[in-house]
Amino acid sequence: MSKNYSDILTTTRRQTLKMLGLTGAALFAPNLLGKPAFAATPPAKPEGRIVVGFSQEPTVFNPLMPRIEADDGVHFSLFDALFSIDPDGKFQPALALEVPTLENGGISEDGLIWKVKLRDDVKWHDGQPFTAEDVKFTLELVVDPNFRSWRTAGHTSVRDIQVISPTEISWRMETAYAPYMAILADTFIVPKHILEPEADRNTAAFNNAPIGTGPFKWSQRVAGDHLELVANTEYYGDGPYIEKLIYKYIPDLTVLYTQFKSGDIDIIGSQFIMPDNYEEAKSLSGKTVSLVPSATVEAVFLNMERPQFKDPAVRQAIYAAIDKQTIIDALYYGLPTPTETYMPKESLYYNSELPKHEYSPELARKLLDDAGWKPGAGGIREKDGVRLSFTNSTTSGNHLREQAQQFMQQSLSEIGIEMTISNLPPAVMWGEYWTQSKFDTVLVGIIYMIGADPDVTSRFHSGAITVQGGRGANNAQYVNKEVDALLEEGGRTFDIEKRRAIYNQIQAKIREDLPLLPIFQAMTVRGHKEGIEGIKPNINTRIDTWNAGEYYWNR
């Protein structure tokens, strides 16, 4: 939050306990597989290798810079945050010795003063000791105006950072901010001794050969093919239990699945097994295949600065013309769940009372007719010199999304809207084309929240539009001052029931404005070779390899 936002309300001790003290129930459902974390005993020292297949190439290796889910997979392997969030939605200490609470004196009753005790047995991959100076440097780098930071919400309220000792740090929050614990759990700490001397941290050599504190060390990268990590045998935590972890980049999802079947990859990671392959996959010999709900919401993302999308009737008409139930049933074999919001059903903050989507080409035509969009050249509607035509983009090689695009293209043409398909390789798609809002529309799956916390300031606040000088990921360039105010209120509210009411309103406003056209909440089909232990789905993280340090072969 920036200090331009509204003043933050003072919180009570009981309210602070509920969120910052983390004494209440978890905000997401428990372990989704419902089975023990380990079925056997891990080896005494790292052995073997595991190959994880990703459909998107990790390319951002400084974990504080703008990134996508595939990058997260690598970050979790190389770096640690102060805290982590487990599959039950509970915070666990990582680089911190304990999670700060009111009871242990880590957080003041008003939520403004934080004191964090750190482990004294952590080393960077180059052997240098990890200290409170690294935490201070990281928190300051995130808000450095000269640094291309991925997320600054919450961090901009941090003041008066004090290094008390190598293992203790404190700071004052200018305003109490309920989601900050979740943000810290998603903020990987970077080494001061490596990055501080760099004149430009955006182009530092570290960004292409990172040094972290995590269970694996950087080994080598073959651009366009794979990257290799090796075991950090001095890791302070449990694991790692494998000698090498390889992330292999396979952009074509058909090829990704084929290599899983053939055994060339051991774990099929994001984007997982496509639903049309589920029936075959679950019968494969030597493979473990399961259905796991995801917090990812598939949607058509609109660039609200394009003139054709400034008219709400256009957005409503496009939504009415999308037969999303047929997309779910025919392309995704009925596995995903249709949704009207960006919030997953499993969340405590999910709004189940939103208007239900109605597929109706007749309604779509009427909306456009009433708004003055009349057929022009080639039957494409026009109004005030603006042609109702736009491109839609997604990652090339995702055949189900490509089929969904073709289906939507045909449906929209029948009501006088021209949608041109313009797909790109993942590395291009999720680079400046996405982060700098160069698209018209995008078909994309996004996890919107921060762990289990419902805050979506970085996605929907007008101050989070990167291309307009903001800090965040509001790539739709969505602006609604009422939503801004609600987001600010949600950030300073610690009472869970009051927060639920606020985020229900936010979802209702976004459903009304339609900066994104929600299609479904994903149900992922995940698979790995039999014999791999330690895999734990976690709906509170953006990536399935969040705990790769716990993987091992049961042989």
Side-chain angles (χ1 to χ4, degrees), residues 257-282:
Y257 175 61
T258 300
Q259 292 202 17
F260 173 67
K261 286 200 300 180
S262 67
D264 291 331
I265 60 174
D266 303 311
I267 300 173
I268 187 164
S270 180
Q271 303 275 327
F272 310 108
I273 299 169
M274 290 292 98
D276 54 340
N277 291 318
Y278 174 55
E279 285 300 318
E280 179 192 40
K282 66 183 182 180

Side-chain angles (χ1 to χ4, degrees), residues 225-449:
D225 188 76
H226 74 279
L227 65 88
E228 179 182 297
L229 309 181
V230 296
N232 174 15
T233 56
E234 296 186 28
Y235 188 55
Y236 65 89
D238 294 335
Y241 302 120
I242 55 175
E243 292 179 282
K244 289 184 179 181
L245 177 64
I246 295 172
Y247 288 100
K248 187 169 177 57
Y249 165 52
I250 308 168
D252 188 301
L253 297 184
T254 300
V255 177
L256 179 66
Y257 175 61
T258 300
Q259 292 202 17
F260 173 67
K261 286 200 300 180
S262 67
D264 291 331
I265 60 174
D266 303 311
I267 300 173
I268 187 164
S270 180
Q271 303 275 327
F272 310 108
I273 299 169
M274 290 292 98
D276 54 340
N277 291 318
Y278 174 55
E279 285 300 318
E280 179 192 40
K282 66 183 182 180
S283 64
L284 292 174
S285 176
K287 305 291 192 294
T288 298
V289 174
S290 58
L291 294 176
V292 178
S294 168
T296 299
V297 171
E298 189 88 356
V300 177
F301 223 65
L302 308 179
N303 188 337
M304 299 287 278
E305 281 300 304
R306 297 294 189 261
Q308 57 268 50
F309 301 134
K310 290 185 177 296
D311 187 342
V314 169
R315 305 193 297 272
Q316 293 165 13
I318 295 172
Y319 194 40
I322 295 176
D323 187 356
K324 61 184 188 181
Q325 191 61 55
T326 294
I327 291 173
I328 291 169
D329 293 339
L331 300 182
Y332 290 86
Y333 287 73
L335 295 181
T337 303
T339 188
E340 300 298 335
T341 180
Y342 60 84
M343 191 83 71
K345 289 191 312 179
E346 292 79 6
S347 173
L348 178 69
Y349 299 94
Y350 173 74
N351 185 344
S352 62
E353 303 300 322
L354 298 175
K356 301 303 179 187
H357 171 264
E358 176 189 359
Y359 167 59
S360 174
E362 295 78 14
L363 174 61
R365 292 188 188 95
K366 185 176 187 307
L367 286 166
L368 295 173
D369 288 341
D370 291 348
W373 290 89
K374 304 301 181 184
I380 305 305
R381 293 176 183 262
E382 298 176 351
K383 179 182 177 181
D384 299 331
V386 176
R387 185 174 165 86
L388 199 38
S389 175
F390 58 87
T391 61
N392 180 264
S393 304
T394 196
T395 46
S396 52
N398 188 323
H399 63 282
L400 292 188
R401 281 186 182 158
E402 290 171 341
Q403 291 175 43
Q405 285 178 308
Q406 293 164 17
F407 183 63
M408 289 189 292
Q409 182 184 52
Q410 178 62 36
S411 298
L412 293 175
S413 70
E414 294 172 0
I415 63 169
I417 297 177
E418 181 180 59
M419 186 184 98
T420 302
I421 297 172
S422 178
N423 294 339
L424 299 166
V428 178
M429 179 78 194
W430 307 120
E432 288 191 355
Y433 186 74
W434 170 246
T435 61
Q436 298 298 314
S437 304
K438 294 182 178 180
F439 59 89
D440 289 343
T441 69
V442 167
L443 181 59
V444 62
I446 294 176
I447 296 175
Y448 288 83
M449 298 183 300

Side-chain angles (χ1 to χ4, degrees), residues 59-273:
T59 59
V60 177
F61 305 114
N62 184 324
L64 304 182
M65 299 182 74
R67 67 198 205 226
I68 62 173
E69 285 85 346
D71 300 318
D72 280 2
V74 180
H75 299 160
F76 272 106
S77 302
L78 292 170
F79 297 93
D80 292 304
L82 294 175
F83 324 109
S84 63
I85 184 166
D86 68 18
D88 294 332
K90 296 177 182 177
F91 292 101
Q92 303 293 342
L95 293 174
L97 191 63
E98 60 185 2
V99 177
T101 65
L102 287 172
E103 289 87 352
N104 63 27
I107 300 173
S108 62
E109 290 193 4
D110 59 8
L112 296 178
I113 305 300
W114 290 55
K115 294 180 180 179
V116 180
K117 296 179 180 178
L118 306 172
R119 299 182 66 107
D120 63 0
D121 57 349
V122 180
K123 292 182 179 179
W124 294 100
H125 294 157
D126 62 358
Q128 292 297 309
F130 158 79
T131 73
E133 291 289 349
D134 297 303
V135 180
K136 181 176 187 290
F137 174 80
T138 298
L139 296 181
E140 292 175 341
L141 179 59
V142 168
V143 295
D144 184 337
N146 296 316
F147 179 70
R148 294 198 301 272
S149 178
W150 181 56
R151 176 189 287 135
T152 60
H155 295 302
T156 52
S157 287
V158 174
R159 299 287 183 273
D160 305 329
I161 302 174
Q162 300 293 324
V163 173
I164 299 169
S165 75
T167 58
E168 189 169 4
I169 190 170
S170 71
W171 62 81
R172 174 179 61 85
M173 301 293 289
E174 183 180 42
T175 53
Y177 186 49
Y180 198 50
M181 188 73 76
I183 289 171
L184 287 173
D186 197 40
T187 302
F188 294 102
I189 306 302
V190 297
K192 175 182 178 179
H193 69 283
I194 298 292
L195 281 170
E196 185 179 47
E198 295 285 348
D200 183 358
R201 283 83 182 248
N202 298 300
T203 59
F206 168 90
N207 299 346
N208 292 307
I211 291 173
T213 57
F216 294 95
K217 297 180 179 181
W218 184 267
S219 177
Q220 63 173 328
R221 177 191 178 211
V222 178
D225 188 76
H226 74 279
L227 65 88
E228 179 182 297
L229 309 181
V230 296
N232 174 15
T233 56
E234 296 186 28
Y235 188 55
Y236 65 89
D238 294 335
Y241 302 120
I242 55 175
E243 292 179 282
K244 289 184 179 181
L245 177 64
I246 295 172
Y247 288 100
K248 187 169 177 57
Y249 165 52
I250 308 168
D252 188 301
L253 297 184
T254 300
V255 177
L256 179 66
Y257 175 61
T258 300
Q259 292 202 17
F260 173 67
K261 286 200 300 180
S262 67
D264 291 331
I265 60 174
D266 303 311
I267 300 173
I268 187 164
S270 180
Q271 303 275 327
F272 310 108
I273 299 169

